[in-house]
Amino acid sequence: MQFYSRRKKLIGNSQTEQLYGHCLQFYGQPPIENISLSEFETFAVDRLKLLKTVENLGVSYVKTSELYTKKLDAEEFLPGLNVRNCETDEYEKRRKDHISHFILRLAYCQTEDLRRWFIQQEIDLFRYRFNDLPSKNIGQFLQYNNLHYHTISIDEKKKLMDKLVTSSFAVSGSTVDGKDFYKVPFQDALDLVRTRKVYLNGGYVYIPHQDIVTIVLNDFRTRLSKALALTARSLPAVQSDERLQPLLNHLSHAYVGQDYSIQKSIGKISLEQIDPLSAKSYPLCMRQLHRGLRDSHHLRHGGRMQYGLFLKGIGLTLDQALQFWRSEFVKGKVDADKFDKAYAYSIRHMFGKEGKRTDYTPYSCMKVILSNPPSQGDQHGCPFRHSDPELLKQKLQSYKVSPSGISQILELVKGMHYQLACQKYFELTHSVRTDSGFSLNHPNQYFMESQKLLGGPGAGVKVEVKREDNPATKPPNPSPHQTPGPGNLPQEVAAEITEDLDSFFQDA
């Protein structure tokens, strides 16, 4: 793939047929056209939103259940989710699906954990799309990808009817006539053979229509795993391009939610409210920081940045922040004069009043989880990610979380679903279900949702929508908060974006 400020709108018909001959893809051939950097970024963020949604629903519901499918059906606003309209004129949708997949390959091939996450979400998305295909399109897909799995004839089905009924799950004598059965070499269906879900004869298995997805998924997983390994080997050549390196490095933990840096509630929260708010509406990470500050009257730099920006996001003014930190630090080993000399500057700096005048945004969950892990004596970080499970259990018990709730949280932590563990903590401490329109991605989002339920000072507060976690710089310099999405920018402006890619996602 090459990247220029302008892209070709059309490619040859033969190339179109080769790359986008079917609405569902194995992504065997990489993109062969030129795209702009702004389109590159837009495609990547949209694909990331899609995979994040698939991940959240996959943990909350059984992946093959009817409820899981209904929840994904309800997410039709997400680009490229379903493939019901599998017509040949869907060129732009297929093109975006194809290119965005390969962009995230570049971002998620860098470590084993990233590769594992990417493969799992792509497989879950593929399964949903495959099951959503009409029967006629499944045969077209198999043929298009050289998967020589053919349905057996009616005569053969009648001959084997009794054995097909007794060996196949969810197949009865009354339904067998209406089902297609695929004749597949047994080595391609070892999972089904191992669980005795299919009829085996003469080195072939007879797979009912609803189970063929298992074979296709195994093939897709193998191909994608090998492709990611090859991509990782060639990554140094891609990273040598200074236009792409910053974007690829930050995509794997980019925040694509709302921006909590500019609040309409500035000044509406008093210092006296902080203690009761910390017990009712703080996420566990901020509650831990607040408790650590109250106990030791001090936080190290990582803790001050994480908690200070959170407080800024929930409505504290600069004057209130200075008063809050000064009053707490002077209770410890820091007098007022030392505080003004050593600590006040950093507080003014995070509000954009010192240094390069960057108005820093509160940290997102992904930034808390993935950057600057705490060392001994630190209070910052994500308790679900960075705490020992036994210590986490004790902390949850002290906050009156039920034993069954603790077990659910620890199970999510064990599966490395840290944000979902935090969302479960929210559900348990607020006695609500949050499976409708609420996917937790930010500590300030946690606070806002809590205040909406409790009717506190944060209720009804509006926040600006944001697709990436970049700082809002002070005018007259252009700011991502003040511009439309990159996909809507004029071509002559697109080149300017590349100059700030390194800071584009920096201060979530």
Side-chain angles (χ1 to χ4, degrees):
M1 240 181 334
Q2 300 182 39
F3 308 92
Y4 297 95
S5 60
R6 299 177 184 271
R7 68 171 176 85
K8 298 177 183 178
K9 293 184 178 180
L10 296 174
I11 58 178
N13 290 334
S14 61
Q15 294 173 331
T16 303
E17 181 66 26
Q18 181 182 4
L19 287 176
Y20 312 124
H22 197 276
C23 53
L24 188 60
Q25 302 183 49
F26 263 166
Y27 310 103
Q29 297 294 326
I32 57 177
E33 61 178 298
N34 303 327
I35 66 171
S36 67
L37 279 168
S38 60
E39 194 172 34
F40 182 96
E41 187 270 335
T42 302
F43 282 12
V45 171
D46 285 347
R47 185 79 174 202
L48 189 56
K49 286 181 179 179
L50 177 59
L51 297 186
K52 292 285 187 181
T53 300
V54 171
E55 178 191 27
N56 290 338
L57 292 178
V59 175
S60 302
Y61 305 96
V62 178
K63 292 178 182 178
T64 56
S65 68
E66 183 179 353
L67 184 58
Y68 171 77
T69 302
K70 286 182 178 179
K71 290 294 180 179
L72 275 175
D73 288 343
E75 302 287 352
E76 289 187 351
F77 69 92
L78 287 171
L81 182 57
N82 65 63
V83 291
R84 287 194 184 94
N85 188 14
C86 198
E87 302 296 334
T88 56
D89 60 355
E90 295 291 309
Y91 168 75
E92 284 300 328
K93 290 183 179 179
R94 298 185 189 185
R95 172 181 173 272
K96 182 175 183 178
D97 174 57
H98 184 238
I99 294 175
S100 64
H101 169 87
F102 275 90
I103 293 173
L104 288 197
R105 269 195 196 182
L106 293 173
Y108 280 82
C109 70
Q110 301 180 50
T111 68
E112 182 61 33
D113 287 341
L114 291 178
R115 289 193 291 270
R116 188 183 301 114
W117 182 89
F118 181 70
I119 290 172
Q120 185 59 60
Q121 308 324 315
E122 286 286 343
I123 284 176
D124 290 343
L125 176 60
F126 185 93
R127 180 193 294 110
Y128 168 78
R129 288 173 164 176
F130 187 89
N131 289 332
D132 207 33
L133 285 174
S135 296
K136 64 175 183 178
N137 294 120
I138 291 180
Q140 294 171 0
F141 172 82
L142 297 176
Q143 182 180 1
Y144 179 76
N145 289 280
N146 296 318
L147 300 175
H148 303 295
Y149 306 146
H150 303 292
T151 56
I152 62 176
S153 64
I154 296 177
D155 292 339
E156 189 174 3
K157 187 193 298 185
K158 289 181 178 179
K159 181 180 179 181
L160 300 173
M161 181 177 292
D162 291 340
K163 294 179 179 179
L164 293 177
V165 170
T166 56
S167 60
S168 302
F169 179 75
V171 175
S172 63
S174 60
T175 62
V176 68
D177 287 336
K179 286 184 179 291
D180 289 330
F181 282 80
Y182 294 86
K183 188 176 181 179
V184 178
F186 84 95
Q187 62 268 25
D188 291 343
L190 294 179
D191 289 342
L192 295 175
V193 173
R194 185 182 302 112
T195 54
R196 300 184 179 183
K197 289 184 176 180
V198 289
Y199 173 58
L200 173 63
N201 182 42
Y204 289 89
V205 292
Y206 295 81
I207 304 175
H209 171 79
Q210 72 270 14
D211 288 332
I212 193 64
V213 64
T214 303
I215 311 301
V216 178
L217 282 176
N218 287 340
D219 199 328
F220 180 58
R221 181 192 296 272
T222 301
R223 297 186 188 206
L224 183 55
S225 180
K226 290 180 179 178
L228 284 172
L230 291 174
T231 305
R233 293 179 195 172
S234 59
L235 192 61
V238 178
Q239 290 178 330
S240 64
D241 191 327
E242 61 184 13
R243 301 168 300 171
L244 301 180
Q245 182 183 9
L247 184 57
L248 292 177
N249 287 344
H250 293 291
L251 262 178
S252 59
H253 52 87
Y255 172 62
V256 292
Q258 293 176 319
D259 173 20
Y260 295 91
S261 62
I262 304 174
Q263 293 279 13
K264 301 293 179 64
S265 61
I266 291 295
K268 292 186 178 180
I269 295 177
S270 67
L271 297 182
E272 291 75 19
Q273 290 177 300
I274 291 180
D275 279 334
L277 284 174
S278 70
K280 294 180 179 179
S281 295
Y282 274 22
L284 194 59
C285 57
M286 299 304 166
R287 193 171 183 179
Q288 173 177 284
L289 283 165
H290 183 75
R291 187 71 266 152
L293 178 63
R294 289 303 197 204
D295 290 342
S296 64
H297 310 299
H298 187 270
L299 286 178
R300 293 182 178 178
H301 176 73
R304 295 197 303 274
M305 285 296 294
Q306 182 176 323
Y307 190 36
L309 289 172
F310 171 82
L311 291 173
K312 172 190 172 186
I314 68 173
L316 252 62
T317 64
L318 173 58
D319 290 339
Q320 285 178 312
L322 287 168
Q323 182 181 347
F324 171 75
W325 289 102
R326 180 185 290 108
S327 64
E328 197 60 46
F329 272 46
V330 297
K331 295 177 183 177
K333 300 179 180 180
V334 178
D335 57 35
D337 184 57
K338 182 178 180 181
F339 177 88
D340 291 337
K341 292 180 179 179
Y343 298 101
Y345 176 90
S346 64
I347 297 172
R348 293 194 299 270
H349 188 274
M350 72 174 65
F351 277 81
K353 303 302 182 183
E354 300 286 357
K356 60 181 180 179
R357 308 284 176 172
T358 297
D359 190 16
Y360 290 98
T361 62
Y363 289 177
S364 68
C365 289
M366 291 304 291
K367 187 174 181 69
V368 172
I369 291 170
L370 294 175
S371 64
N372 189 25
S375 57
Q376 187 174 4
D378 287 331
Q379 301 284 346
H380 68 273
C382 172
F384 302 104
R385 168 65 179 87
H386 299 117
S387 293
D388 179 82
E390 188 59 36
L391 294 178
L392 176 61
K393 180 179 179 180
Q394 294 175 11
K395 190 183 297 291
L396 293 172
Q397 289 172 338
S398 69
Y399 292 149
K400 310 301 181 185
V401 179
S402 65
S404 62
I406 293 175
S407 298
Q408 294 178 60
I409 290 174
L410 292 179
E411 190 64 27
L412 289 168
V413 169
K414 184 179 179 180
M416 297 187 292
H417 303 295
Y418 308 117
Q419 290 167 244
L420 294 174
C422 189
Q423 185 161 333
K424 176 60 66 175
Y425 173 76
F426 181 97
E427 296 173 13
L428 295 169
T429 54
H430 291 78
S431 300
V432 295
R433 289 289 301 173
T434 58
D435 57 354
S436 177
F438 176 28
S439 178
L440 186 61
N441 292 298
H442 203 292
N444 289 79
Q445 178 193 11
Y446 184 108
F447 178 85
M448 294 288 292
E449 294 293 339
S450 173
Q451 287 295 286
K452 286 178 185 177
L453 288 173
L454 300 175
V461 174
K462 295 182 179 180
V463 293
E464 295 188 356
V465 175
K466 179 187 182 184
R467 294 194 320 155
E468 61 278 322
D469 49 344
N470 54 304
T473 52
K474 188 175 181 180
N477 294 329
S479 168
H481 294 305
Q482 300 164 338
T483 60
N488 300 324
L489 291 174
Q491 291 294 341
E492 58 269 18
V493 179
E496 298 177 9
I497 299 178
T498 63
E499 299 177 3
D500 296 318
L501 281 177
D502 192 30
S503 61
F504 204 57
F505 295 99
Q506 186 173 355
D507 295 298

